[in-house]
Amino acid sequence: MIRNAHFSASSATIEGIEYYEDRKLDKTQILRLATCKYIDEGHHVILKGASGNGKTYIACAFGNAACRRLKKSCLHPLT
């Protein structure tokens, strides 16, 4: 599933996210989202932040987490 999803950062993982202070990431929130419960509830995640802060990596990490939990319905390319 991960290969078929064609993530730009296919090796991105939740465990690989670096929580530098200047990124102001909420580790608790990220770990909660990594459970993929939001998918089961029909919600979406929007990432925003300055250029170069790792939004793409985090999005791919969430995608990989979803694939590992066999969440097929959430996999569609971003346009």
Side-chain angles (χ1 to χ4, degrees):
M1 285 175 47
I2 292 171
R3 190 175 339 109
N4 291 335
H6 301 289
F7 295 125
S8 59
S10 60
S11 63
T13 63
I14 297 298
E15 301 79 21
I17 295 173
E18 296 176 343
Y19 297 91
Y20 298 124
E21 188 174 331
D22 63 334
R23 294 175 82 189
K24 299 179 182 173
L25 296 174
D26 183 342
K27 187 173 185 175
T28 303
Q29 176 75 353
I30 289 178
L31 293 176
R32 188 173 332 123
L33 291 169
T35 67
C36 301
K37 187 175 179 181
Y38 69 95
I39 296 169
D40 297 332
E41 295 172 349
H43 297 287
H44 302 276
V45 174
I46 297 174
L47 302 172
K48 68 178 191 172
S51 178
N53 271 355
K55 296 178 298 293
T56 299
Y57 184 92
I58 292 171
C60 290
F62 285 147
N64 280 323
C67 287
R68 290 192 310 257
R69 293 178 181 271
L70 304 176
K71 304 290 185 185
K72 292 181 183 180
S73 63
C74 68
L75 300 176
H76 55 82
L78 298 175
T79 56

